[in-house]
Amino acid sequence: RKTLDPHAALIYTMVLVSVAEGQISDVELETMGRLVQTLPVFETFDKSRIVAIGDECRELLGDVDGIDLAIERIAGALTTGLCETAYVLACDIVAADGKAAQDELRLLELLRNGLGIDRLAAAAIERAAQARHRVS
């Protein structure tokens, strides 16, 4: 049973929602890279680890209970404040391609519940992500 550090948990979160539709799109990959490069929470993160962490998460998601295990590990690695940060990252990945598939919305719900994100806070985060990624 592997425990995650907070950086890995945040990467897991982005990978988790990006594979909800089956595969990671180029836009989602670009968004993940930009977030890791620019957000203060990743300032001390060893960026050379990102591919290995992503592969590890994808492997876990291949398990029968992979989604539940991933959410459990993510939640276990994060403080309350970083749980909100994880939800922000998840929403940014979902909003990145301009459309939210049903699988992604379901995964956001599971993540919101697993991370203990209040519904009102979640709605605000979701709305802000939509606004940030809107092109017209």
Side-chain angles (χ1 to χ4, degrees), residues 6-87:
H7 289 130
L10 294 172
I11 302 292
Y12 263 55
T13 301
M14 292 188 286
V15 171
L16 181 64
V17 295
S18 67
V19 299
E21 301 173 280
Q23 66 179 8
I24 302 175
S25 73
D26 289 342
V27 172
E28 289 168 332
L29 275 174
E30 289 168 17
T31 301
M32 276 189 250
R34 188 178 66 253
L35 292 169
V36 170
Q37 291 296 327
T38 60
L39 289 180
V41 72
F42 289 111
E43 211 169 82
T44 61
F45 175 59
D46 175 5
K47 301 191 180 40
S48 68
R49 294 178 52 214
I50 194 169
V51 172
I53 293 168
D55 289 345
E56 185 182 286
C57 181
R58 281 193 295 276
E59 186 177 319
L60 175 64
L61 294 174
D63 290 354
V64 175
D65 296 330
I67 291 172
D68 293 330
L69 286 171
I71 292 172
E72 188 179 303
R73 289 180 187 174
I74 291 164
L78 300 174
T79 62
T80 303
L82 285 180
C83 282
E84 286 187 351
T85 301
Y87 197 71

Side-chain angles (χ1 to χ4, degrees), residues 83-132:
C83 282
E84 286 187 351
T85 301
Y87 197 71
V88 167
L89 294 175
C91 290
D92 275 344
I93 298 302
V94 169
D97 60 7
K99 60 189 180 335
Q102 201 58 43
D103 291 340
E104 290 173 317
L105 295 175
R106 176 69 183 131
L107 196 52
L108 281 178
E109 182 183 350
L110 292 172
L111 197 55
R112 182 180 72 235
N113 293 334
L115 295 175
I117 305 293
D118 166 90
R119 281 190 180 276
L120 194 54
I125 291 167
E126 292 160 9
R127 189 65 173 260
Q130 290 170 354
R132 272 193 304 279

